[in-house]
Amino acid sequence: MTNSNSLFFRALNKERLKTPPIWYMRQAGRYMPEYRAVRKKFNNFLDMCKNPDVCCELALQPINAFNLDAAILFSDILTIPDALGLGVNFVENEGPVFKNPINNSKDIDNLDLFDPDELQYVYQAVTNIKNSLSDNIPLIGFSGSPWTLAAYSIEGKSSKDFKKTLNFINKNNDKSHTFLNALTDACFLYLREQVKAGADVIQIFDSWANILDENRFNEFSMQYINKLTYALKNDKVTSKTPIILFSRDPKCSNQTLVKNSGADCLSLYWDMKDFDLNIARNKVSLQGNLDPRILLEPKDKIKYQTHKILDKFKDYPGYIFNLGHGITPDINPDNIKYLTEVVREY
């Protein structure tokens, strides 16, 4: 059991801290030479994710390199669509490609029922990582949000505008909600198993929140995030597990995010510089939100921009330092090390 007095848990309990806890989205990844050495051994990214021992090794790499305050499961958000029979494959320089995407409403009717037991490899990775961490380092488990999983499953791949997905939900409103309800149930069962396996905290990634206008965001995304967090908060296994929501630049008010998500902590996208701290104060913890691109700049600029964020949040009760998106492959690990030192010395 993780020491609930860890810096990370204290921030999630909305304590004001002199030094914020630090972890980074996509902290295990291609920017690290140790990661690239392991990745070379696998043709398909998802095959690597299906090897619990390798996932454990990858999750620990950034903890060992930068002495961070939280670890995150090494996996992918598309494990659920893969388990539903949509045939997810990762193509070099293209990202995820679905063999059997959702093309019409019949495809939703014909979907496999989600069986959480099919993702045993993920829970085994959770247990392996948890057993390898010291007591003061919590482990974050995660899933995609129902909307983000639906967007990928309908589009069949990553996209800038998700035109196919947006046309689909316009033409198939009822069936889209049937699909989103099924994905919400799947996310709940999946996250519950991760907590049973040893995850201390849950993060929900709503990575494609930004493609919806405000009305559609509330209808197709927020409504299901709320259903998911409500189910987690009212389940014996997960009721005490803190929930972090990362919603990428959502077209909604700060008030809506704070009030309607049901999350204990909001992870802010790098572009959400005008987020009103007073609306969130004492209601949710906040995480973020340095622009990862700043890590390509000289050290003085990294320090200046980091201090700007730390100045903004220094009196906020429950602040976790993070980036406003994941670490990109072109970032030098030395700059991550430097950034971590800047935050700790602030």
Side-chain angles (χ1 to χ4, degrees), residues 289-307:
N289 65 335
L290 185 72
D291 182 351
R293 312 309 299 159
I294 284 159
L295 289 162
L296 297 167
E297 302 286 343
K299 287 198 161 107
D300 57 343
K301 186 157 186 201
I302 294 173
K303 187 173 191 171
Y304 173 74
Q305 293 296 343
T306 304
H307 276 194

Side-chain angles (χ1 to χ4, degrees), residues 95-312:
V97 176
F98 285 60
K99 208 166 107 194
N100 313 306
I102 303 290
N103 291 318
N104 52 56
S105 59
K106 275 206 180 79
D107 290 341
I108 291 172
D109 295 330
N110 296 333
L111 267 183
D112 293 351
L113 260 181
F114 177 68
D115 176 3
D117 288 347
E118 280 195 33
L119 297 177
Q120 284 298 342
Y121 63 88
V122 177
Y123 320 136
Q124 188 57 56
V126 170
T127 301
N128 290 4
I129 300 162
K130 185 66 195 160
N131 290 342
S132 306
L133 289 168
S134 65
D135 285 349
N136 62 331
I137 308 287
L139 174 60
I140 303 164
F142 69 85
S143 79
S145 71
W147 163 250
T148 288
L149 299 183
Y152 272 119
S153 302
I154 296 166
E155 200 69 27
K157 57 179 197 259
S158 196
S159 161
K160 278 197 171 68
D161 52 21
F162 281 83
K163 257 195 191 127
K164 181 189 169 195
T165 301
L166 295 174
N167 284 336
F168 184 94
I169 64 173
N170 279 345
K171 291 182 180 146
N172 304 278
N173 188 289
D174 289 356
K175 270 288 178 273
S176 298
H177 285 296
T178 302
F179 187 32
L180 284 160
N181 271 310
L183 288 168
T184 305
D185 292 344
C187 289
F188 165 70
L189 293 170
Y190 181 50
L191 290 168
R192 190 174 188 269
E193 289 301 321
Q194 288 185 38
V195 171
K196 276 162 73 175
D200 301 295
V201 178
I202 287 164
Q203 178 149 321
I204 297 165
F205 286 92
D206 195 16
S207 309
W208 295 114
N210 60 319
I211 60 175
L212 298 167
D213 61 32
E214 186 165 2
N215 289 339
R216 276 166 155 186
F217 174 72
N218 286 319
E219 181 184 352
F220 290 97
S221 180
M222 184 54 82
Q223 177 188 176
Y224 293 98
I225 286 168
N226 184 277
K227 277 185 181 177
L228 176 55
T229 57
Y230 182 83
L232 291 164
K233 295 278 178 205
N234 286 280
D235 180 79
K236 288 210 292 278
V237 173
T238 53
S239 62
K240 290 185 167 65
T241 309
I243 300 168
I244 303 170
L245 170 65
F246 172 71
S247 193
R248 178 177 170 175
D249 204 14
K251 310 290 184 281
C252 71
S253 68
N254 297 173
Q255 188 87 35
T256 299
L257 264 187
V258 171
K259 223 172 109 191
N260 297 355
S261 72
D264 302 285
C265 176
L266 296 176
S267 187
L268 305 178
Y269 186 60
W270 66 265
D271 215 6
M272 293 166 73
K273 295 183 178 76
D274 300 326
F275 188 89
D276 186 345
L277 299 189
N278 290 324
I279 283 173
R281 191 177 295 276
N282 299 322
K283 295 187 183 76
V284 289
S285 301
L286 292 176
Q287 173 178 281
N289 65 335
L290 185 72
D291 182 351
R293 312 309 299 159
I294 284 159
L295 289 162
L296 297 167
E297 302 286 343
K299 287 198 161 107
D300 57 343
K301 186 157 186 201
I302 294 173
K303 187 173 191 171
Y304 173 74
Q305 293 296 343
T306 304
H307 276 194
K308 236 168 106 170
I309 285 185
L310 292 169
D311 287 345
K312 180 180 175 180

